[in-house]
Amino acid sequence: MNRFTAPLLLGLLCCFVSTATIAQNKFKPKYLRENDKTLLNLTSYASDNGWLDFKQDAQTEAIDPDAFLNRFGNKLGVGNGYHLKPTKDETDFREIRHQTFQLYYKNIKVEGVEYTLHSRHKRLRTAHGRIIEGLSTDVSKPMPERKALEIALADLNINADELKGRDMPKGELVLISTDEALSAQNVKLCYAFDMRIAGLKNKAAKASEPQRIYVDASTGEVVQRAALSSQCFNPAHQHQPALLPLRPHLALPGTGNSLVAQPMVASTFTPFSVNNNRYFGAQGVGNFETEPVSTSAGQQYRLSLPGTNLRVRDAYGAVPGPATTNMELWQNGRDIFNPTPHWGTNHQVGTMALWLTQRIYPFYEQIDQQQRGIDRNGQYPLVVININDTRASWDNIAAIGFGQSNNVHYVTADILGHEYTHAVTQNNSNLGTGAEYKREPGALNESVADIFGTAFERYLFPDGNQTNPSNWNWTLGEDGQGAFTQRSMANPEAFRQPSRYGAVDPNWFPANQAVSCNSLNNLCGVHINSGVMNKWFHTLCTGQFPAGTHAMNAIAFDDAIKIVYRAVRHYTHSTSNYADMRDATASAARDLFFSCSPQHRAVVEAWRLANLPSPHRCDPGCDFDVSPNVVSNAGCNQAITLNATCSSPLAWPCSGLSFSYSGPNVPYNSGGAAFNVTTPSSSGHYRYTVKLAKPGCYTPEKTFHVSVNCLSSGLCDFGSDPRYVGTWYGLTVQIRHINGKNVLVTAITGSNPDKYYPRGDNFWGSFSLDPNAANLQGCLNAGSTGWGGLSLPGGLTPPPGYSQGTEADGAVYFVANGGPPPANPCDFSQPRHVGTWNGLNVQIRQFPNNKRALVTAEPNSSNDKYYPRGDNFWDNFTKTSDAEQYRACLNAGNTGWWGMSFPSISPPGGYQQGNAPDGAIFFSTNGLRKAASAGPTPENVSLVTVRPNPAQTVITVGFVLAEAQRVSMQLLDLQGRTVKQQSHAGVAGMNEPVLNIASLPAGQYMLEVRLGTERIMQKVIKE
Ligand SMILES: [Zn+2]
């Protein structure tokens, strides 16, 4: 299609549909209807779906979360007889407290009405929920429970006589709303019965699925029916062909009787070829652990994990009756055995199910270290395979079930991940679960399951295909044995799912409150309307909307996953709808990456593309940016003023913030826009950074460069100092005075020893010229040369102290070669580099009292910071090849190995002494970094993730930094020896450096990541 016709078409479609849309009565909070200024003046955001963001600036009153409901409850709609009962109170690693309340009216639960407060350090940030106003329902005279039960049973065509001798379902009195506007007159007092009635002879169709039946406690009317399980990947719900015939009987060895739990045993299995090619890199074999068990048939190995509840069972032959749950099928199912721990192709469905369930546990731990199992307490789901009905489901109790037909199996990473996520979601927030597994909340529950299902599949991929999410597989169900794709997150339309919210999208499943949601209409579209959030997540990770077109800046996949996880865990309720999910994910992004961060803005923008625009979710007070006013050039040792400007769409966000600079000769500083600094003492092109900080806001930063030229007597006098004139492929271009000639060179600045390539006058024009150097071309007088520096200008020889060398490609260079060896080997008037240790330089330095001591120095630290060690440190670092000759020069005496104490030396002139938080003592030029005495706070230390783990070739290390800083990482073996180290120039926000571990032997390692003063350890398994 011609791209220029698309907007016109969309416009027509939009207008046509909108005239056909019927306006509906929607909920509106009391404070908005009444335009209550005492509350609204405290907020920066107040939406129709009941979300309030509170201003966080110093001028606005801070609201104590513990006083909020008493003080403002009546403005939310809390009336007489109401009680908000606390159900959750948790403070997370960001020190944000989340308090959730359930509404009761006259001691009866009002189903689906929850309210949550989010605060930090006793200051309310966000409050949300929808309170039903003006309740006056008579709850005093419900009919007898037994009478209501008879009505509920009759509704399912169940003859009460058939239930003789069984436990009868118990009724719970609840208040429910049947009205989208949450008007009080449509609230009904009901008995709710959970009907899970298995094994009836009368297989009445209506009783075929577990259901929650609501019977009006005064009229006896059946008001609602709700699904009590998530039946997923059922082609009947997916516009797909019907189920294929059942496959032949699967033979199993004799039933086992587990006697004593024994240690698990390393085991292998052969996956289906489709899984082998995808999860196992075509290695043909999977590694997992199975449990040795004594059985009547002798020692066998079972698909279970000792010490846990994980056990995969086979339901074949256990015919599900009406309302049979997966848990019952599991209980009636059979253990799966093999005579050896090497399963080969035996029980391929079961081995794959066990392997996947073992793998998903650490996957979730990487997202949140507390998410151990489905309940954060180590619990696995029960897993049952070969059910002869639906393809995959979670039963809202304990078990995941997989159906099968004609050798078609859906035991795959994305589908198992999907069902497991239903369990996690139910435990975390109950979003769209049980009675709310319908309409938008149910669709959101489904989408969250798809998102984590596909993320789990991505986590398993051994080829590290994680760098370009656009190439990622965004479909669900495609890698089952004999299976077919059922949904696409990139392109929901391919499966007739919508990618935009509401009636503007022709695939949107229209559901209003008058429609009864049951499995025949896909519970009002739970597996259809999930397409909108699926596509939103795809847009967030790829920037594409529609797929294949660039619509916005994407964010890292791992950031996006953490945002969704946090939104579900802390910011959703059982009845959250799409508008709530938009605000929940924006809040989660703000918590994790600060307000107005790229992640936060991307979340909001992706929802806007999905037709869920939001006006204010980037706090206006944080909506600012910084631009440096560049000092482009200066002399050396010259006082200059660094300067920058704050800009914002509004005027006031630029107040109450602080500027800070970093770069050569800038000590720690925080404060005003202008900062005085002395330029370095040698010529060069120096990088500075300025950033703007404000509590609670993302910290924008910009880098800029200052060209420093140490001009002496004449324009063409380069005798004392190389002159910076430009850059070329990351090298510095200088003019140097070499044996009477002014020569262009490309230099590796800071190289030790000083190494550079003489070019020739004809190199001028082939590099990126510094504007300040444009008038220096006339100074050149070396003659021309090979353009690449392969030959030298005529008559040029290395200056004293330098020697000449030739690279493999023929290029000729001059190098100081460490200079000629000093006449006195113990002359350390300049620090002498003798090795490295944990990414630090190890040097010998000379101190005022003539002590010569080992130090560890931070490379390129702007305030020359270093830790005096002692002579005894000699054996503890990696030495240069020529280091040994200097050992005898050391005379400072011994010290604490770690540098906690030091030899009897004092800081030389111009240096001060400081203490790192771990007690180590350091020397630094004047202007000690304030950060050295401040402990880490949750704002600037993040969790460290490693993926994949186990890994074979590379690992990606993930962490968030509040500000740019150098981060050192090292891998230690079990003996504590450093086997690999790497330094990373960290940027503010998410960082994902990659470590290549291909050359390491298989085994267990510890990764140590140093974030500021924090050392964070993570276990890494090399396969
Ligand atoms: Zn599902």
Side-chain angles (χ1 to χ4, degrees), residues 230-233 392-394 415 418-419 422 437 442 445-447 449-450 487 526-527:
S230 301
Q231 305 281 336
C232 314
F233 300 97
S393 58
W394 160 246
I415 295 182
H418 176 109
E419 303 305 335
H422 278 314
Y437 184 56
N445 183 359
E446 278 302 321
S447 173
D450 280 350
R487 288 192 282 280
V526 296
H527 290 101

Side-chain angles (χ1 to χ4, degrees), residues 20 117 174 243 259 266 286 314 355 419 477 487 490 519 563 666 672 751 816 835 841 890 931:
L117 307 177
V174 295
L243 283 169
L259 302 175
D314 190 324
W355 181 78
E419 303 305 335
R487 288 192 282 280
S519 60
I563 288 167
V666 179
S751 60
N841 287 333
L890 298 177

Side-chain angles (χ1 to χ4, degrees), residues 581-639:
M581 186 56 91
R582 172 198 66 200
D583 290 345
T585 49
S587 298
R590 192 177 53 180
D591 288 357
L592 290 171
F593 305 101
F594 303 107
S595 188
C596 303
S597 58
Q599 291 87 346
H600 185 196
R601 291 177 194 269
V603 163
V604 174
E605 176 61 9
W607 281 122
R608 189 188 68 76
L609 292 166
N611 195 31
L612 280 153
S614 151
H616 281 313
R617 296 293 291 171
C618 170
D619 298 344
C622 291
D623 198 0
F624 53 79
D625 203 356
V626 62
S627 343
N629 306 325
V630 176
V631 183
S632 60
N633 55 74
C636 58
N637 295 316
Q638 181 189 328

